[in-house]
């Protein structure tokens, strides 16, 4: 990589790593350390191809999702249990929003990696089903059925989301949480 490409890559990492890390945290079920590893591995892969990439953020996100899919297919899945962490920064939503994020993060951690990836792509990244299917290498029907089953399981795992849900109070949910996820 030449000096100019190296500097552009460094600037990209500095400016977009926060947003990419938030996505990686969601994909890893709230495990920040696993998310940091996931993002670092993705950035290493992207650095090798940096000069040939037209849309760097889209490319990095696709590498993140594909790496997470690769983790599903491991012969020996990880045996670690992810725990919910308090939010890292204050949010406009107040204490209820922080509690909602902790509950949501815990419930997401109990979903399978595939279910988490589909929900993150559909509701956090706000991608259409066709794009999700393309990124994950499956059919649109698989995305639809996985989304349906994932939301049903999320509701079963965390019924308290309905009680906490700002959607019932007319308040917008915190960033990264879809109103669909808090319905009873």
């Amino acid at each position: 990589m030449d000096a100019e490409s190296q500097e552009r890559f460094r600037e990209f990492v500095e400016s977009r790593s926060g947003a990419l890390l938030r996505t990686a945290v969601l994909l890893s079920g709230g495990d920040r350390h696993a998310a940091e590893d996931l993002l670092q591995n993705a950035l290493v892969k992207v650095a090798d191809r940096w000069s040939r990439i037209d849309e760097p953020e889209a490319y990095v996100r696709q590498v993140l999702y594909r790496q997470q899919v690769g983790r599903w297919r491991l012969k020996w899945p990880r045996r670690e249990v992810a725990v919910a962490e308090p939010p890292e920064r204050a949010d406009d939503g107040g204490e209820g929003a922080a509690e909602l994020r902790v509950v949501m993060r815990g419930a997401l951690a109990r979903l399978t990696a595939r279910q988490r990836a589909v929900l993150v792509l559909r509701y956090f990244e706000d991608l259409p089903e066709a794009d999700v299917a393309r990124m994950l290498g499956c059919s649109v029907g698989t995305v639809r059925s996985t989304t349906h089953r994932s939301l049903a399981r999320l509701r079963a795992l965390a019924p308290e989301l309905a009680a906490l849900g700002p959607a019932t109070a007319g308040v917008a949910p915190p960033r990264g949480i879809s109103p669909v996820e808090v319905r009873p």
Side-chain angles (χ1 to χ4, degrees):
M1 182 181 320
D2 63 2
E4 182 182 329
S5 293
Q6 204 170 28
E7 184 59 30
R8 283 194 347 248
F9 180 71
R10 195 173 285 127
E11 288 172 3
F12 171 77
V13 170
E14 286 176 12
S15 67
R16 299 305 304 153
S17 62
L20 293 168
L21 182 60
R22 282 190 294 277
T23 300
V25 167
L26 290 171
L27 285 171
S28 65
D31 183 349
R32 185 169 176 94
H33 298 293
E36 289 171 350
D37 290 344
L38 183 67
L39 179 58
Q40 183 175 0
N41 290 336
L43 290 173
V44 166
K45 288 182 178 185
V46 169
D48 292 339
R49 297 174 182 89
W50 183 253
S51 59
R52 297 181 302 246
I53 299 172
D54 294 330
E55 296 181 39
E57 185 158 356
Y59 191 86
V60 171
R61 288 181 186 277
Q62 187 160 11
V63 170
L64 279 173
Y65 301 129
R66 296 227 169 152
Q67 278 188 292
Q68 189 64 21
V69 168
R71 289 182 180 188
W72 305 338
R73 296 178 179 143
L74 289 176
K75 184 176 181 178
W76 301 102
R78 291 179 25 181
R79 303 270 187 231
E80 298 175 21
V81 176
V83 296
E85 300 173 354
E88 297 171 12
R89 57 189 154 98
D91 194 21
D92 297 338
E95 192 174 309
E99 186 178 345
L100 178 61
R101 273 194 306 277
V102 169
V103 169
M104 180 60 74
R105 198 173 273 172
L108 283 172
R110 294 175 60 194
L111 295 176
T112 66
R114 179 181 204 132
Q115 289 173 326
R116 269 195 311 272
V118 168
L119 290 180
V120 168
L121 289 168
R122 286 287 291 131
Y123 298 110
F124 184 75
E125 296 291 331
D126 199 26
L127 293 176
E129 292 167 339
D131 290 351
V132 174
R134 183 183 45 77
M135 289 184 103
L136 297 179
C138 62
S139 70
V140 173
T142 300
V143 170
R144 287 181 185 153
S145 62
T146 303
T147 301
H148 177 75
R149 285 192 305 272
S150 302
L151 289 174
R153 182 154 185 239
L154 193 64
R155 289 181 191 113
L157 289 171
E160 62 269 37
L161 290 176
L164 292 174
T168 60
V171 179
R175 176 170 163 69
I177 298 177
S178 167
V180 173
E181 296 168 322
V182 295
R183 287 186 197 143

